[in-house]
Amino acid sequence: MAIGPRLDLRQSQSLVMTPQLQQAIKLLALSNLEVEGFIAEELERNPLLEAGSSESGGDEPAGEDWTDAAGGEAGSGEGGAGGGDAAGGEMPDEPVTADRLIEHGDPGGEVPLDADYAGETFHHDGPTDGAPGMDGGLSIGGASAGGYGEDGPDFDAMAGEAESLHDHLVAQAGACLSGPQLAIAIQMIDQIDEAGYLLADLGDIARRLGVAPGDVEAVLHVIQTFDPTGVGARSLGECLALQAREADRYDPAMARLLDNLDLLAQGRLPQLRRMCGVDDEDLGDMIREVRGYDPKPGLRFGGARIETVVPDLFVARRATGWAIEVNSATLPRVLVNRSYYAELSDGNHDKASRAWLSDCLASANWLVKALDQRQRTIVRVASEIVKQQEAFFLNGVSQLRPLTLKAVADAIGMHESTVSRVTSNKYLSCARGLFELKYFFTSAIQSADGGDAVSAEAVKSAIRALITAEEPGAILSDDTLVDLLRAKGFDIARRTVAKYREAMGIGSSVQRRRQKAIEMHAG
């Protein structure tokens, strides 16, 4: 064998991660609201992109290409968003899949961008086309409901900024303290957590500010008179004691009860009764009083606005099957303004300017196609999920079937990673509530009678139902739950029952027995 330099020619295939391909992959994993933010950034960056009106129809500017980013497969017949039986059958015109888009980096075979999408896509041939929105008549997909303009009422703008606990306490401190005491109060308020508890040691605060510990203690007593009652406490017992004083219920018996909350949690009621020097009736009254107090008074003040989960898809039962509709309210339409491109191209520009303009057009065209393909892919995946889990949509969680990403991917001819991206951060709204798409993928539990395997979520639902129905005098142990579940056809081990019970936040049989005893005594 000769040793020396030589030249060889070889052919190989490789996937090149172009910026457009990375963008297409990124879009699949984003929720509708995240896509809305992404589109807003692209509109700022690319002068050839415009946000279209939410109305579908013939009012599109002349010379502009457009696609409805919220439309997806709306009205495309069987399986489309807003048309026909979304859970069954093949698509009338097989679209280019997301896998093909990712694999080749070129959505070949797509309709040209200058096609009339309103005429070609939105056929009124499905039972749900032109029907009221599947969001309960709220017309989420509509544009001008209620006379609020194309975007509808902006409820977020109506909501005022929630006052934080810190600001609320500082305002009260400024009203009743001044000078060094106000400075001490500000330092202490900075150390109060969102639940209303003081986390810092008073001695540390005194050393840091160079003041006497008694001065810090005096300021703390003032803070503990602020609203909400119980704020500034250093322990749960002190927090409840402050509220008992406010209600004029802090007597020696109540003080001993609050000093021994651990015994109350353990259900050692006879010992508590002896320590407090009261009878059963008085102890029951005291427990009811304590249970009426707020253990975390600071949580009444929101430090941050609570974000509501917005569904990406709507699923509704129709006479011919199931209909799936993309939530168009959270996705603006994107327009590619070719007339503006032609106007800019007519001018005398240098080579760099022409190249930049061509890049903007190519980027805009790709974004339009990627958004349309994203919606098609989401609807296809959601349609298969509805088909696989139809028993859940009809009868509830007890009928939820075991399902894997691979099973859905194989059924629709996509890669498993694509299905994983599509189901990430996306929510489905149906008659049974709001569910993340990942919710429908659960592990299998073997049936005790040798029948079909059942979903882990169905087993959890059965465990929850058994524990909810248990009598105070007959608390079910994990071993008993195993026997009852096997009688229902669930072949499950004791450790699995314990794992599912803890995952649902349900205590052990000992903890539940103590809780029932406390509730009966306080009732």
Side-chain angles (χ1 to χ4, degrees), residues 505-521:
I506 300 175
S508 65
S509 58
V510 175
Q511 293 171 327
R512 300 200 306 274
R513 187 176 292 108
R514 290 172 179 170
Q515 183 64 28
K516 294 284 187 181
I518 294 174
E519 291 176 356
M520 291 180 61
H521 201 85

Side-chain angles (χ1 to χ4, degrees), residues 24 34 48 66 81 93 96 108 130 161 179 183 195 268 280 319 344 381 438 463 508-510 523:
E34 290 170 332
L48 299 183
W66 66 276
D93 297 308
V96 179
E161 187 69 22
R268 297 162 65 176
D280 284 341
L344 293 177
V381 172
K438 291 287 189 184
I463 293 174
S508 65
S509 58
V510 175

